[in-house]
Amino acid sequence: MNITLVQAEKIITIAKEKAIAIDTKMNIAVVDAGANLVAFVRMDGAWLGSLDIAIKKAKTARFFDMNTGSIGELSQPGQPLFGIEHSNHGLITFPGGVPIKNAAGDIIGAVGVSGSSVENDHAVAETGASAI
């Protein structure tokens, strides 16, 4: 199963609405089951440097089928995934990347959000992912 463009656009729309509701500007990326970019938006005024971070958060969430914040906890010194952020041409291991599941519970892609605090990034990503 793979996310469709229609689904990806819906995720972006819902995530943008959440970003507006919490008064922040975000970069929002959606990747498919193969971690390929399907849809992306940079809200007016969102940080340019967060563009790449949003895409990498989405890819990281899909590569490991878990929230990027969870990977971050496992990648701290002394933890089993220490140093993983240096693999796969660079991963992002702080909150803001969330896998996307279909109604059957299959992972069909992931969303990555960057542009604010990691708490806000995660909230917007979770809201977007729940749109499916």
Side-chain angles (χ1 to χ4, degrees):
M1 293 294 299
N2 229 348
I3 193 164
T4 66
L5 178 58
V6 170
Q7 291 171 315
E9 289 173 335
K10 180 178 181 181
I11 290 166
I12 296 247
T13 298
I14 298 298
K16 279 179 20 184
E17 289 172 0
K18 176 67 173 179
I20 292 166
I22 62 173
D23 195 29
T24 191
K25 299 168 179 86
M26 300 287 197
N27 291 285
I28 306 163
V30 178
V31 298
D32 64 16
N36 302 297
L37 189 63
V38 175
F40 178 84
V41 67
R42 178 174 174 246
M43 294 173 68
D44 292 340
W47 294 331
L48 183 58
S50 290
L51 187 152
D52 184 55
I53 294 170
I55 295 169
K56 285 184 177 178
K57 283 182 181 182
K59 288 182 175 191
T60 301
R62 178 56 188 118
F63 285 160
F64 299 98
D65 295 337
M66 67 176 78
N67 292 346
T68 53
S70 297
I71 296 168
E73 293 172 12
L74 296 169
S75 67
Q76 296 303 305
Q79 296 301 309
L81 298 181
F82 180 65
I84 196 169
E85 67 274 8
H86 302 293
S87 70
N88 295 286
H89 303 289
L91 301 174
I92 301 295
T93 59
F94 45 88
V98 176
I100 301 166
K101 296 180 181 180
N102 64 14
D106 301 314
I107 295 176
I108 58 171
V111 58
V113 177
S114 184
S116 185
S117 67
V118 294
E119 294 82 12
N120 285 346
D121 291 357
H122 180 75
V124 172
E126 276 283 328
T127 300
S130 69
I132 299 300

